[in-house]
Each structure stands twice: as C-alpha cells, then as structure tokens.
Amino acid sequence: MAYAAIASLMNTIQQSMESTGLVLQLFYQKLESLRAIMENPCNITGDHEALTSLEAQIAELADEAEYKVDLESRNIVMPENEKKQRRAFVNLYSLVKEVVGRIDSTMKKWMAIQNKLKNIQNLSLVSTSRHGLEPEDKMVGLENEFKIMQDQLARGARELEVVSIVGMGGIGKTTLANKIYSDPFIMSHFDIRAKATLSQEYCARNVLLGLLSSISGKTNEFHEQQDDDQLADRLQKLLKCGRYLVVIDDIWTREAWDDIRRCFSDCNNGSRILMTTRNVEVAECASSGKTPYHMRLMNFDESWSLLYEKVFVKDCYSPEFEQLGKTIALNCGGLPLALVLIAGLLSKIGKSLDEWKSIVKNHYLGEEISSSFAVDIPPSISSLCYLQTIILRLLQPNARQYPLVLPNEILTMPQLRHLHLDWNYLQYHGPTQKSLVLKNLQCLSGLNPWHCTRSVFRQFPNLKKLQICGIWEDFRSRKDLYEFHYLDKLEELDFVLTYSCYACFLESITSSGLLRFTRQKRQAILLERPSRALPPTESFPYSILPPPDAFPQNLKKLAFYGTCLQWNDLSIVGKLPKLEALKLGISACIGVEWKVVKDGFPSLKFLLLERLKVRYWRASCDHFPCLERLFLEHCWNLDSIPQDFADITTLALIDIRWCAESVGNSAKQIQQDILNNYASFMEVNIHEPQNKQRGPSSSVALPTISI
C-alpha cells in the first residue's frame, strides 16, 4: 500500500515538473530511494501493528500530497493573475519538500522497528503449486541465459559455489531455474538434486522437510517426528554422499539465507546452489563475490512467440485476431507471467472479437480514453480471486477528465483487503448470486457518493477505513442518503470533494445498472474560487453531512477536503461520541470566522487545520477539553489561536507551518501560561512564519503528523 502510494506520488510530481517547469528532481530522487526500500517486503512474524500503522501513515501522506500537488500545479498552469501564480510556485515547492520530509521521517521509524523485530523472523515453505503461475512448460527467449547458467553450474572450481538469478516477480526466474533443474545434462552431472520454493514468509523446518523429501522421494510425514536439528543433520549427511545441486527458489531476505546455508557443506567436489531472488542484496551476499545474473524483460518477438504458443497454436484464428494479439503482447511489457495470465484469459473468451478489442483497449487501466465518456475496467478483473490489494489510478492528466467505470464483479473478490480508486462509478445493480460479503475488506478509498447505500455497505461488514470521493454533482445526487450505520466497525472516514477538469458526470443509474452520463463543458475549477463549481447561491444549498445518528458510532477519525462546509456544520461532527481526530483540509470549510458552538468536541485529541481562509477562531478550553495535538498549516489569514487554550491541561503540542507571525506568538503565549499556571511543558514547533520568509524554506527537520 505504501509502496504504491509513493510510486503514484512520484508520477504526479514528474507530471508537475513537466507542466510547470519547477525543478523538483531532488525530492523525486529521494522518493525513488524510499520506494526502493519499501519494495523489499517486511518478512516479520508476530505483532505487525506498529509497522502497519506506519505504512498506513506513509500511504496517507502520499495520497494527500498527490491531491495537493495536482491542485497547486493547476494553479500555476491556469493562474487567475501573476501574483497568485508566483505564490502557487512557492506553495508547490514548499508542499513537496514538506511531504518528502515527513515520509522520510516516518520511513526511518519504520526501518528502526523492522530491524528490532528481525530476531523473531520466521519464514515458511510454500507449496510448489505456485509454479503453475509461471510458464514452466514453455521457455521462450532464455536460450542464451540457459547456456550461461548450465556452464556456471557444471564447470568451474571444485569449491561449493552459489549461482544467483535476480529479477522482479513474474519475469521468469522460476521458469529458468526449473528448466535447468530438469535438464538431462545437469541431471547426469550431479549425483544428488534437491529443490525448495520459499516465499515472503519462511520457516526453516519446512525448507528442511522439502529438501529431504525431494532427495529421498519420501513424503514429509516420514520426517515429521524429528526435530529441526535432526532434520538438518540428516540433510547434511545426505548431501555429503556425492556432488549435489540444490535449487532455492524465491528467497527474500539475507536472514533466511544465513539460516539455511549452514546445511550445505563444501565437500570440494563441484557442488552448486542455484538461487532465485527479487532482492539484489541477498544475491550478492550469497554469491561470494560473483556477479548475480539479472533477468531481462522479453523483447517483442519473444513476447509474441510465447503468447502465440499459449493461444494460437491450440486453435485457428483469423489474421485480425493475430494483429490484436501482437498489440496485447506488446502491452504486457515483456513480463512472461503477465503474458501467461493474459493468454489464459484469451483462451477462455475464445473467438469473440469484441472481447479481444476490449482487452486491447483496457489493458492499460490509466490510458486516456478520448472517444468515450469513461474508462471501463473489464469484468475479467474478478478472475484474480486471490488478489488482496487493488489500486486503480488515472495516471495521464487528460484521462482524469473521465471517471473509472467499475464492473459489479469487483464485489465478488473474496480476498480483497484494500481497494484504492480514482474518481469512479460502479456498475452496481444490487446483490447478485455471485455477490459476496467481503469480510476481508478493511480499507476502501475513493467510493463515490452515489454508492453510499445500504446494499453496498452491507457487503463490507469489517470495513475500518473509508474515503468518499466525488465531484459536486455526485454529492448533490446523494443528499441525505448515507447509510453509515451499517458500517459498525468503521473507525476512519474521509470526505473528498474534488474540483478537476471533468468532461462528464453521472446523471442516473437504471435498474439494470446502466450508467447514463451527461457531458460537461471542460473547464478549470480552482479551489481558490470554489463558488465557480457551485450553483448560483454562492455556497452549497445544504450540507453534505449526514445527521449525527447516521454516522458510525465507533468513528474515531474524520477528515474533510474541498467540501466547502459552513463552520456551523461542524456542530454535527462534535456530537460524535468517540471522535478523537479531525482533519480540515484545503477548503473544507468556508467563511472567515469559526465560532465553536456550546458542546464543542468533547473527545477530540487531534486537530489539523490546513489551507483554510478562516481569520477569527472563537473557542474556549471547554470546547476542546481533551485536545492533545494541534496542527496549523498554511492558514495564511488566521489571526491567532484562542488564548483560553492555555487551560486545556491535556495540550502537549502545537505545530505551526506557514502561518502569520501572530499565530506563532499566540502559541508561545499559551506555552508560557501553561508553564506558569500548571508547571507543565507544552511543545511548540513553528516553521516558516508567513511574514518572515516568502521563498522556499531552508532545511528543517519535519516531524510526521500521525493520529
């Protein structure tokens, strides 16, 4: 989740550099190095709560930043005047620097916890049925690699050597290793052969059982009565009986290698170990100074040859199908596993030309579709029944004018845990015989207001985090129809009203699930002037908030972005009994004065105000009796923090970024009053007061905002 969010943010920053000309390369490179760290999975058993929480923070930081970078980039490209354009340049540079600093800070915490827990790491052997996903029966384009590997294994020094194959998942490492393992020349050269397939989670005992079983031909049950030391001793004795070849497939960590390498004695007889891994560090550590072999992607001719072998050899197809097949092969990007999976799909749909064209059209989910209202996601996505995370983003700027259209089949994926979507609509027409209760779904980001209904929510009984995202027309269409009380496990809820250049919006959904769209004249709508997106009343004619009793009663975290609420609408939020964190992001509320009503926010511990135009904040300590952390960011017009906050005895931190100097002064006064009146210390962090520094900020250590 964090890896994908960082990658998506990098893509948005790259697009921003291209469109605005602002140099952000240093921050881009920093994100690239952080993404590389996240690419190496965490293989630690036990309590993952701390790591998972930090990963969620990283993903949240990246997702929020992506939205803001996109917005500020539009403010530069389509400015109202030169002054606002200059300010947008400063805002964009500051924003990117700030979020990269926060992500880096959180990553350091994540790495520290991971290192502490490595001592209890436990990896487990997985079934060799995984090989069914790899193109074992047909090796295309690896003839030269095969000869190189064969030569390294059968010739060379008499000392034990490790030969490593490195590459991303699905690139064909296992295919090559299996081909070598079963090659007649290799079989005759080595007296003993053993093979074990590992995965992200690994248990030494299962590896020992697998290797012993492949050597002796006896099942694992034969060795089950022996402990791990006895199994290791038995394996060492068997391997000393002759020249051996051991294949260790898909090893993930150095610790796993260090744990099992003790079983492989060097008998000075030319024995070899063949290892496949996605981790270059593991390969270099195991190869004892020898350069690991890096798998390459297949070229077009090899890709087409593999797809042809899987699909066209089995049946007779017209030239038109072959031309479409070549386009599909090209779109697979040289990944053998992708080719095998798409070949299986093509074989199932048979000779339906329209279906083949649909696959060609939708193979790149982020591709701009200029000839239609929306970007259709094929129903065949539901065939990935073991998929746990789906992230669908419209990467091309022009494609964001059109929504994603999701098939109803996406609600038939039982293992789905995380679903992250750009602006979308669901072709949903009520539960079907194939519809499932998605008990594993915990995080749903990007649900359109159209689908905040009873029939949808009842399919997510264990949902913990929900983001509702849409354009103005989407929210207007669902007035007072939220059915949140069906989500009794929900703890975190975000409302995001996006202002983008959109070419159409949903007008209605028929009883059969057919979506009817209305064209919208393309226009740029800036949050600096939100009334452009609204009806002539200059503000929303009603609040998009549901009544208090419609909210999930276990809700702990709530956020609003772009929603243009009236400040008095927040009285509804204050009535939520367990609300501990509230984020009011860019244009969440409009108006220059926030006068907190009588009851306030009795349970609130965390409050963030970001890029709001509020000037006067009228509140007392009674309105926020439990507040612990207050964050103010880019609230340019805010005059001060209510001085009565000095009597909030729980207040531990005020963090101010790019606000007026008077705001920082009021925070210091509160700090001094707390020290004088209660002999207690409250931390105050002030970054870049508005009227002290206008340019890009100097290097400042930025703490992570976590709730």
Side-chain angles (χ1 to χ4, degrees):
M1 183 168 58
Y3 174 88
I6 292 175
S8 183
L9 176 59
M10 290 172 60
N11 183 77
T12 300
I13 291 175
Q14 180 66 40
Q15 293 174 1
S16 177
M17 287 192 290
E18 294 173 357
S19 61
T20 66
L22 186 62
V23 179
L24 303 169
Q25 192 63 33
L26 288 176
F27 305 121
Y28 182 90
Q29 292 173 354
K30 181 63 177 178
L31 287 174
E32 194 170 34
S33 65
L34 296 178
R35 183 185 65 173
I37 295 173
M38 295 301 301
E39 190 173 14
N40 296 325
C42 173
N43 306 303
I44 299 171
T45 60
D47 188 3
H48 288 74
E49 184 175 352
L51 288 172
T52 303
S53 175
L54 289 173
E55 290 174 10
Q57 289 178 33
I58 294 169
E60 184 176 9
L61 284 170
D63 286 341
E64 291 178 4
E66 184 178 359
Y67 171 78
K68 296 171 188 175
V69 168
D70 189 46
L71 174 67
E72 292 294 350
S73 299
R74 290 199 301 273
N75 288 343
I76 293 173
V77 176
M78 298 177 290
E80 291 185 1
N81 53 55
E82 186 177 352
K83 180 179 179 181
K84 288 190 175 182
Q85 186 183 45
R86 287 197 302 269
R87 191 174 76 177
F89 271 112
V90 175
N91 289 349
L92 179 57
Y93 186 93
S94 172
L95 170 66
V96 175
K97 179 176 181 178
E98 196 170 40
V99 74
V100 171
R102 293 189 190 181
I103 292 175
D104 184 39
S105 176
T106 309
M107 279 293 302
K108 289 176 180 177
K109 296 179 182 179
W110 182 86
M111 293 170 65
I113 294 175
Q114 186 185 30
N115 290 335
K116 288 180 181 179
L117 295 178
K118 278 185 177 180
N119 290 333
I120 59 171
Q121 187 163 244
N122 189 20
L123 304 171
S124 75
L125 182 68
V126 296
S127 169
T128 55
S129 62
R130 173 186 175 278
H131 295 293
L133 292 177
E134 298 271 10
E136 293 183 53
D137 56 334
K138 180 66 177 179
M139 188 177 73
V140 176
L142 297 176
E143 290 78 9
N144 292 335
E145 289 83 350
F146 174 79
K147 292 178 180 178
I148 293 172
M149 294 290 107
Q150 187 186 64
D151 185 70
Q152 289 188 21
L153 293 171
R155 295 175 176 82
R158 295 183 60 83
E159 293 83 5
L160 176 65
E161 292 183 354
V162 179
V163 178
S164 300
I165 305 173
V166 185
M168 70 176 74
I171 201 170
K173 302 182 301 294
T174 299
T175 301
L176 179 57
N178 287 339
K179 186 70 174 179
I180 293 170
Y181 184 79
S182 58
D183 176 63
F185 173 74
I186 293 295
M187 294 173 66
S188 64
H189 181 76
F190 291 97
D191 305 309
I192 302 168
R193 293 179 308 124
K195 180 172 64 172
T197 301
L198 283 65
S199 75
Q200 185 173 350
E201 301 196 5
Y202 153 92
C203 168
R205 179 176 180 82
N206 288 339
V207 173
L208 295 171
L209 289 171
L211 292 172
L212 285 169
S213 177
S214 64
I215 294 173
S216 65
K218 298 177 181 178
T219 62
N220 289 347
E221 288 77 7
F222 181 81
H223 304 286
E224 281 290 350
Q225 303 304 318
Q226 298 176 310
D227 61 28
D228 290 1
D229 290 337
Q230 291 173 322
L231 292 175
D233 182 66
R234 176 62 178 163
L235 178 61
Q236 286 182 332
K237 290 179 178 178
L238 287 175
L239 293 178
K240 289 180 180 179
C241 295
R243 181 191 296 143
Y244 63 82
L245 170 67
V246 173
V247 174
I248 303 295
D249 185 29
D250 202 21
I251 188 168
W252 288 67
T253 66
R254 288 185 59 176
E255 290 75 17
W257 167 246
D258 291 338
D259 186 45
I260 62 174
R261 65 186 301 180
R262 296 170 295 174
C263 299
F264 308 130
S265 302
D266 186 358
C267 301
N268 199 35
N269 60 0
S271 294
R272 299 288 185 265
I273 297 172
L274 177 62
M275 171 194 296
T276 73
T277 180
R278 308 181 189 197
N279 192 327
V280 176
E281 182 185 5
V282 174
E284 291 177 345
C285 172
S287 295
S288 305
K290 292 184 176 294
T291 303
Y293 176 75
H294 291 260
M295 291 288 292
R296 62 174 177 82
L297 294 169
M298 301 174 73
N299 59 37
F300 169 73
D301 290 336
E302 293 165 345
S303 298
W304 169 236
S305 177
L306 179 57
L307 187 65
Y308 187 88
E309 180 72 22
K310 293 290 183 181
V311 179
F312 293 89
V313 168
K314 300 177 181 179
D315 205 342
C316 182
Y317 289 83
S318 66
E320 190 172 8
F321 282 96
E322 289 196 15
Q323 189 59 43
L324 291 173
K326 290 180 179 179
T327 303
I328 293 171
L330 181 64
N331 287 347
C332 283
L335 276 175
L337 182 56
L339 286 158
V340 171
L341 291 174
I342 203 74
L345 178 61
L346 294 174
S347 297
K348 287 182 179 180
I349 64 177
K351 299 180 181 179
S352 172
L353 195 59
D354 290 339
E355 291 282 353
W356 280 57
K357 290 180 178 179
S358 176
I359 290 176
V360 171
K361 176 182 177 182
N362 295 298
H363 192 70
Y364 288 127
L365 300 183
E367 186 177 12
E368 177 188 357
I369 307 298
S370 59
S371 61
S372 65
F373 279 151
V375 183
D376 294 320
I377 306 302
S380 56
I381 192 173
S382 64
S383 63
L384 304 173
C385 57
Y386 295 105
L387 204 60
Q388 295 187 15
T389 300
I390 296 179
I391 300 174
L392 298 176
R393 297 195 184 278
L394 297 165
L395 300 179
Q396 299 298 325
N398 290 337
R400 296 192 176 192
Q401 298 168 356
Y402 302 92
L404 294 166
V405 174
L406 305 178
N408 195 42
E409 286 79 1
I410 204 167
L411 300 182
T412 66
M413 304 175 70
Q415 301 300 321
L416 198 59
R417 295 173 62 87
H418 303 279
L419 181 58
H420 300 266
L421 307 167
D422 266 348
W423 177 38
N424 70 90
Y425 298 106
L426 177 65
Q427 284 186 319
Y428 184 75
H429 39 81
T432 66
Q433 291 183 348
K434 292 185 177 181
S435 295
L436 299 173
V437 174
L438 303 184
K439 296 181 179 180
N440 292 315
L441 190 65
Q442 296 185 3
C443 179
L444 175 53
S445 176
L447 183 68
N448 195 287
W450 274 89
H451 309 302
C452 294
T453 62
R454 177 187 314 175
S455 59
V456 173
F457 285 157
R458 290 179 71 174
Q459 294 184 250
F460 315 140
N462 296 316
L463 193 67
K464 293 183 178 180
K465 181 177 180 180
L466 172 64
Q467 181 202 73
I468 299 173
C469 181
I471 59 176
W472 154 243
E473 285 79 5
D474 299 331
F475 279 96
R476 181 177 60 183
S477 68
R478 305 307 297 171
K479 179 183 177 183
D480 298 333
L481 289 180
Y482 301 110
E483 303 274 1
F484 292 127
H485 53 276
Y486 286 95
L487 302 175
D488 57 354
K489 300 285 183 66
L490 194 68
E491 297 180 352
E492 186 170 350
L493 177 62
D494 295 355
F495 289 89
V496 179
L497 200 157
T498 178
Y499 295 78
S500 60
C501 304
Y502 53 94
C504 66
F505 61 88
L506 186 63
E507 180 181 5
S508 63
I509 303 178
T510 68
S511 58
S512 62
L514 178 64
L515 306 182
R516 291 179 176 173
F517 290 95
T518 295
R519 285 192 179 274
Q520 167 84 4
K521 183 179 179 181
R522 300 186 183 186
Q523 56 182 333
I525 303 173
L526 303 180
L527 283 174
E528 288 288 330
R529 298 171 65 180
S531 61
R532 287 186 176 185
L534 308 179
T537 57
E538 297 184 356
S539 63
F540 287 108
Y542 53 82
S543 171
I544 68 170
L545 289 176
D549 57 356
F551 275 99
Q553 295 306 295
N554 291 317
L555 198 65
K556 295 181 180 179
K557 301 177 183 179
L558 186 60
F560 298 93
Y561 295 92
T563 48
C564 294
L565 300 173
Q566 299 293 331
W567 285 106
N568 57 11
D569 290 337
L570 295 182
S571 60
I572 296 175
V573 174
K575 296 177 182 179
L576 300 178
K578 297 183 180 181
L579 187 67
E580 296 180 356
L582 176 62
K583 293 183 178 182
L584 301 177
I586 182 169
S587 296
C589 296
I590 56 175
V592 297
E593 182 179 27
W594 181 17
K595 186 176 182 180
V596 183
V597 297
K598 180 180 178 180
D599 295 331
F601 302 84
S603 302
L604 201 67
K605 297 179 180 179
F606 175 98
L607 177 62
L608 167 67
L609 305 182
E610 180 182 12
R611 296 179 184 270
L612 301 172
K613 294 187 176 182
V614 60
R615 181 172 180 81
Y616 305 108
W617 187 3
R618 316 295 189 192
S620 71
C621 60
D622 296 330
H623 293 132
F624 300 91
C626 298
L627 189 64
E628 297 176 359
R629 290 180 290 168
L630 172 62
F631 288 82
L632 303 173
E633 298 187 14
H634 293 84
C635 292
W636 307 99
N637 301 323
L638 184 63
D639 179 53
S640 63
I641 303 170
Q643 286 301 301
D644 200 42
F645 279 21
D647 291 322
I648 302 177
T649 57
T650 56
L651 192 59
L653 171 67
I654 297 179
D655 190 280
I656 301 171
R657 302 168 187 273
W658 286 76
C659 294
E661 187 174 6
S662 59
V663 176
N665 292 337
S666 65
K668 292 177 182 178
Q669 185 60 52
I670 292 172
Q671 182 186 45
Q672 187 63 45
D673 291 346
I674 290 177
L675 183 63
N676 294 339
N677 298 334
Y678 300 100
S680 179
F681 176 75
M682 180 198 71
E683 183 180 358
V684 173
N685 295 329
I686 301 176
H687 311 264
E688 309 295 353
Q690 177 185 353
N691 45 1
K692 278 195 174 183
Q693 184 168 346
R694 292 280 185 175
S697 61
S698 58
S699 179
V700 178
L702 301 176
T704 299
I705 296 182
S706 58
I707 58 176

